[in-house]
Amino acid sequence: MEDKNTDLKLVKVGTVRKHMDAHYRDEISYSEAVNRINKEANKNMKAKLTFELPEEQEDFEMAINGHKWRNVAFMMFNFFRNNTKYAPDNTHEEYIKAMYECKDELFRIISDNGVDLEV
């Protein structure tokens, strides 16, 4: 049987108690208490991706180039923004409308794929 690393992140009972007590004293909401507990649990988390090369070369390339694709989307966002917000006064209205439509479509695609550009 293959050994799988199943480390479970634990939070000290005192940490949970501290945040939940703050919630019960109406200092923070329940959601905020849970968010703070999760933040403590995720503080030192690490992830390791493993690929069988050369068979999984394409998957490996996609994994290591994700930040480049994020930069492409961010640069496209800036292109659309600059061509709408900072367009010269004599820019044709249809051009600006097309830029807005492209920007909206970019965000729809990003959202449909479950990622966030965080601009």
Side-chain angles (χ1 to χ4, degrees):
M1 182 175 172
E2 187 177 322
D3 181 30
K4 296 198 183 251
N5 187 354
T6 56
D7 291 341
L8 179 63
K9 289 291 180 184
L10 300 176
V11 181
K12 293 180 182 176
V13 172
T15 300
V16 174
R17 184 175 293 134
K18 175 180 75 172
H19 296 306
M20 292 311 292
D21 285 348
H23 162 64
Y24 291 126
R25 289 190 304 270
D26 288 328
E27 295 171 3
I28 59 174
S29 68
Y30 176 79
S31 298
E32 180 60 25
V34 171
N35 287 339
R36 290 180 184 185
I37 293 166
N38 286 335
K39 186 176 181 182
E40 289 289 325
N42 294 327
K43 216 179 237 184
N44 296 314
M45 290 183 71
K46 296 179 183 180
K48 184 189 292 188
L49 299 176
T50 306
F51 298 93
E52 295 292 329
L53 300 177
E55 296 86 11
E56 297 177 332
Q57 183 70 33
E58 186 177 340
D59 292 334
F60 171 72
E61 296 290 333
M62 285 191 291
I64 65 169
N65 289 320
H67 68 286
K68 293 178 183 178
W69 285 104
R70 188 249 182 226
N71 288 340
V72 168
F74 187 74
M75 290 166 56
M76 289 303 302
F77 166 79
N78 279 328
F79 172 80
F80 297 137
R81 181 175 182 263
N82 291 337
N83 283 280
T84 53
K85 186 173 184 177
Y86 304 113
D89 291 338
N90 63 348
T91 304
H92 197 282
E93 190 175 315
E94 288 299 314
Y95 178 81
I96 293 175
K97 182 180 175 186
M99 290 291 108
Y100 276 118
E101 289 175 5
C102 290
K103 187 170 77 167
D104 291 345
E105 182 66 9
L106 174 65
F107 278 111
R108 186 195 63 74
I109 292 168
I110 289 169
S111 176
D112 288 353
N113 283 278
V115 293
D116 189 357
L117 195 53
E118 295 184 25
V119 293

